[in-house]
Every structure is written in C-alpha cells, then in structure tokens.
Amino acid sequence: QVQLVESGGGSVQAGGSLRLSCEVSFSGYMYYNTYCMGWFRQAPGKEREGVATIDKDGSSKYADSVKGRFTISTESGRNFVLLQMSSLKPDDTATYYCAADTSGNCRGWAGFNVWGQGTQVTVSS
C-alpha cells in the first residue's frame, strides 16, 4: 500500500517561488521505483488538472501552463517527489495534489490511482 503526504504549500506574491514536497511511504514490499509519480492541482470551481509527471526513468512531462516555470524531481531513491515552482502567477492558486500510478509507466494524465490529501498554494497579485 502506498501513502502520499504533501507539504510546502503556502502564500506567496506573484513572481515568487515555492517548493512542494511529497513523501512516499509504503507498507509491505513494493516496487516503488516502477511507479509513475505526478502533481495535479484544483482551483475553486474548476476541474482538477495535471501539472507534471515523472516516470521511472526520470523523464518528465509538464502542462503547457507551467512549462519553464515548474520542475518535478525525485529525491532519496524516489521517497520524495518535489515540485519546484517559480515565477508564480495568481492563476497558479490551487490545492496541489501528489499522485501515483502504480500500474507502471506514465500514461499521460490518466491512470493515477493513489492520491495525497493536498496542500494549498495561494499566489497574490
């Protein structure tokens, strides 16, 4: 069983930076390094959208709205999934969720079956 716990959210002015962290924990013996990991976000009144994914080989994908500003990475043998956010805009305000697709390779924005509880990011103008 996989559990995801996000941290690092907060309030920042436009143009600022934040780093989100997702701690990945497992019960039992799991091939955690075969998971696709991702970050999603949901703003009030809007549908949840994909932000970034990172595959087991380290390849990453980004939503067009965050390309060049956000960077997804892993640390400590993939026990932490990080999202470095720079040049933040008010439109980036949302609850950010860490997610895992335990089936194997990343499949775009679909297939994520394990979710964290979310962390709030608020960007003021």
Side-chain angles (χ1 to χ4, degrees), residues 51 62-71 84-87 89:
V51 174
Y62 297 92
D64 288 342
S65 59
V66 306
K67 280 181 182 176
R69 301 189 297 122
F70 291 10
T71 303
Q84 178 67 47
M85 305 185 295
S86 302
S87 301
K89 306 174 182 179

Side-chain angles (χ1 to χ4, degrees), residues 35-50:
Y35 294 168
C36 171
M37 301 298 300
W39 284 94
F40 291 75
R41 67 187 182 185
Q42 186 168 21
K46 295 186 178 180
E47 293 187 354
R48 186 171 59 198
E49 63 176 356

Side-chain angles (χ1 to χ4, degrees), residues 19-20 37 39 53-54 58 60 62 71-75 78 80-84:
R19 190 178 82 158
L20 304 183
M37 301 298 300
W39 284 94
T53 63
I54 186 164
S60 57
Y62 297 92
T71 303
I72 188 171
S73 62
T74 61
E75 282 188 352
R78 283 184 132 244
F80 289 89
V81 183
L82 308 176
L83 185 68
Q84 178 67 47

Side-chain angles (χ1 to χ4, degrees), residues 3 5-6 23 26 31 34-35 40 43 50 59 61 64 69 72 76 80-81 95 97-98 106 111 115 125:
Q3 291 182 321
V5 179
E6 302 97 334
E23 183 174 5
F26 310 88
Y31 290 97
T34 67
Y35 294 168
F40 291 75
S59 59
K61 171 186 174 180
D64 288 342
R69 301 189 297 122
I72 188 171
S76 301
F80 289 89
V81 183
T95 301
Y97 298 91
C98 178
C106 289
W115 297 85
S125 57

